Amino acid sequence: MTDRNEAEPSAEPYVATTTQDTGTPTPDQPDGRRPLTGNMIIQAVTEGHSVVITILAVFVALVIGAVLIVASDPAVLRAWDSFGYAPGTALSATWNSVAAAYSALFEGAIFAPGTISAAFHGGSIAAIFYPLSLTAFEATPLILTGLSVALAFRAGMFNIGAAGQWIGGALVATWLGYAVNLPIVLHAVVCIIGAFIGGAVIGWIVGEIKARTGAHEVILTIMMNYVMYNFLSFLVTSQKLMQAPGQTNAVAPNINSNAFLPHVGGPPPQVGVGFLIALAAAAATAWLLSRSTLGFQFRAVGASPSAARSAGISVERVWVLAFLHAGGLAGLSASTIVQGQTSPLTTTSYGTYGFDGITVALLGRARPLGVVLAGLLFGALNAGGTVMEAATGVPSDVTNVIEALIVLFVAAPPLIRMLFRLRRGGGAGPQAVASKGWSG
Amino acid sequence: MTTLASPVRAPVTISRRYLAAGTFIMLGLIDIFVFGFLAHSGDARFALSLPGASPHLPTIHVPGALTAYVLGAISIGVGILRAVVDLPRWGKRLSIAAVLLCFLLSLLAWADAGNSVGPLQVVDLLQGTLTASIPLVLGALAGLLGERSGVINIAIEGQLLTGAFVAAAVASVTGGVWLGLIGGSLAGGLVGALLAIFAIMFLVDQIIVGVVLNVIALGLTNYLYQRVMSPYAATFNAGNTFSTLKIPVLGNIPIIGPVFFDANIFLYITYALILVIQIALFRTRWGLRVRAVGEHPVAADTVGIRVRWTRYRNVILGGLVAGIGGAYLTVGSVGFFTSDISSGFGYIALAAMIFGRWTPLGSVAAALLFGFSFQLQTELSILRVPVSSFILLMAPYVATIIAVAGLVGRVRPPAADGQPYVKA
């Protein structure tokens, strides 16, 4: 998954003023004076661990998920009560419980074998691809918020504020969607751009405060999230502002049908234009990070703010611009939801996209291609989780636990190595983890 | 690893002294021109006793607009004083407190002036402020226990949530609320232990572990709630709660009694923990060692303090404290667990801790500010005041942004906060 061609800008020509030496595997300057905090995030997030670790992490997470499913299944627990004289029953009940849940998950996310045979007997071929289209649909907002968090990571910052930026984008897209009348394609485009700007403004505010005062972006973004949650509620509960006319519920007006993002291919495999926007945004982010001057500056500041400053890069400007772009991407995520479905904006529309974006970015190692793959994996788990809940009654929340566990295990390779007795690269001590260049 | 202090700090260009003075004067002008001018004619009434309480204090009547004018003038006076005289440290703090108090009182005067629904229940407002602050205070204490030893604890939210879940379940199954409290505390401690293991043993970025643990806690409690707790609610979610415990003599004092000494055990536990942690951190050898580990682990190690052990112990202790805060949300108040019952309190507690500059007493003050704004919103909606409660709810978060942006003095975390310690 690691893209080795995408080299980090080397900080070495400028290290004269810092204590950081990228050549040796010093994990940290434990004296507490190390000024390069962003670099550690970058290392923790972007350093490629092997694909093996990721696959094992997914496996362990699925096993723990299976334990959760079994341990809360009354039928299985009853079977285990009589384990002493009917051990076979207990084991088969356990197996059946897990198999039913996970096969429903698979059928809901990838494909259902039944649809293929149905297609041969006159059923629709499109139905085969229906689960995949649901996966793409679920993945769309996650990829975009994931890109938002990833972009900030690469500039050495932690964007917990994708939720607030999402709301910023959603408000602008919704307002442009119902208050303006434009022809069909133009209207959708204007709303998309508006959503980007709306999110970017919220991101910009955080970046600007950080640049001017040095306040930490984690606190700023968390606070900004709550400001935006309340601001959204304020707007959609006031008849004078954004509440739908004549409504007593906290809900914004429906947007014009001209502003909807069309679906490609027609039902049932509804790959929305939103998904294409997400892919395009990923490509654009990849270009920005690896090919543009600005992206180079982002990565230079992420690698070492002091070195970047010595090289003549305005660190403050990079913070502002990185947050501006990150906010814009989160705003795009809102656009795909607001314009991608028929239900209007409510006080809870932001869902968990912002925090899911963090886990997606972490699993994708803050690289655009990785984020797309991670977004698809989580989209698949979400889409499959809904089907699983309908088919077997296992609450779909278990997929959220599985997702977070995957990220936790991927972030802690020594744990996975310990579990599977892996010895790779030698010296699997804790020192090796945080060091640069470890774990191929 | 990441720290909550930014590595490259841009210089603050505007003089902080004039900025503070300007802010005070601006708040004073808001008192006068917003609350004073827009106040309905008529008196603002403040009821000092709950209905039916004895001894019953009279309800205070003050002219709404005039009160706002006077308070605004006081604020402007303090602002000018602040700009002209270089006040000592306690004077600066006092001036902030005075201006904030004026602002709140004129807000209340405006809100209640000429109101037909009834007087503002002052006791109710203060009581609610305190109880709303309990989970925030405990969460902030949990956070600072960890951060003083150098481990960032973003997982407070997850600790509150698991604490709330386990407390409700244990209390319901065993029928004992005390067992629920202990179970909730242990559950918070378990999340703390997970955070410690991943952050200290596996050196995973502490903010990342914290965020991920929160997601796991939310997913797990939602899953178990839907799968087990909700279908078998009679067994697992019966809604046991602590009863209130009135302190004999102190509880009868007007205003002070019902506010501070007539609540359930959680409020008293909170008092005790605030005191214990404040004294332990700043007046004992234990606290000196903890702070040494958080500020300069190498030096601490050199003189023989076990750095990693101190961090493990503190993070787990913090988890136990946050678990009590979680238990409060279920067995201490409503009794029943519901999905996402902590609803972001953990993140607000984190903000309160930073706002309070990593000290117990400061965190309490910040938590009370948040608690007050929650309760004020409730009171104003009872009085049907035509101001959107959401604007009011936004205020403490904006205040926190202003605080961390350095307008209320510099906020400085422990020097080694967030940095794992690896022996050279």
Side-chain angles (χ1 to χ4, degrees), chain A residues 158-186:
Chain A
F158 211 136
N159 181 17
I160 302 192
Q165 295 146 14
W166 194 100
I167 293 171
L171 288 173
V172 176
T174 302
W175 185 80
L176 288 172
Y178 73 81
V180 179
N181 278 312
L182 287 169
I184 184 154
V185 177
L186 187 65

Side-chain angles (χ1 to χ4, degrees), chain A residues 28 30-32 34-35 37 40-41 45 68-69 72-74 158 209-211 213-216 218-220 222-223 226-227 230-231 233-234 237 305 309 316 319 355 362 389 393-395 397-398 401 404-405 407-408 411-412 414-415 430-431, chain B residues 1-11 154 198 201-205 207-209 211-212 215-216 219-220 222-223 226-228 232 296-298 344 347 350-351 354 388 390-391 393-394 397-398 400-401 404-405 415 419-423:
Chain A
D28 195 0
D31 63 3
R34 186 178 53 82
T37 60
M40 296 306 290
I41 301 188
V45 173
L68 271 178
I69 292 170
S72 60
D73 188 335
F158 211 136
I209 295 176
K210 179 180 169 66
T213 69
H216 198 277
V218 167
I219 304 307
L220 290 177
I222 290 174
M223 292 303 111
Y226 285 97
V227 170
N230 285 306
F231 188 56
S233 299
F234 167 63
T237 50
R309 195 188 297 282
E316 284 76 19
W319 284 343
F355 278 87
L362 289 171
E389 178 162 353
V394 175
D397 296 284
V398 77
V401 179
L405 285 173
V407 174
L408 192 62
L415 177 65
Q431 291 215 355
Chain B
M1 298 283 146
T2 48
T3 60
L4 289 177
S6 165
V8 186
R9 192 177 277 275
I154 298 232
F198 277 96
M201 190 192 291
F202 294 123
L203 303 179
V204 186
D205 186 286
I207 294 181
I208 292 175
V209 194
V211 169
V212 171
V215 177
I216 292 178
L220 200 57
N222 271 348
Y223 173 76
Q226 285 191 32
R227 178 85 157 164
V228 182
Y232 307 98
H296 205 310
V298 176
Y347 290 109
L350 187 77
I354 291 163
S388 174
F390 299 111
I391 292 289
L393 285 175
M394 222 189 277
Y397 304 109
V398 175
T400 306
I401 290 178
V404 294
Q419 298 176 14
Y421 180 65
V422 181
K423 251 186 184 159

Side-chain angles (χ1 to χ4, degrees), chain B residues 12-27 75-76 78-87 92 95 406-409:
Chain B
V12 178
T13 47
I14 322 160
S15 164
R16 192 164 272 134
R17 187 165 136 197
Y18 292 113
L19 205 62
T23 313
F24 289 179
I25 293 172
M26 201 184 74
L27 286 176
S75 293
I76 293 172
V78 173
I80 293 169
L81 185 75
R82 179 79 185 254
V84 176
V85 187
D86 191 13
L87 294 169
K92 283 181 185 161
S95 67
L407 298 186
V408 195

Side-chain angles (χ1 to χ4, degrees), chain A residues 405-417:
Chain A
L405 285 173
I406 293 173
V407 174
L408 192 62
F409 292 139
V410 167
L415 177 65
I416 292 293
R417 282 200 203 91

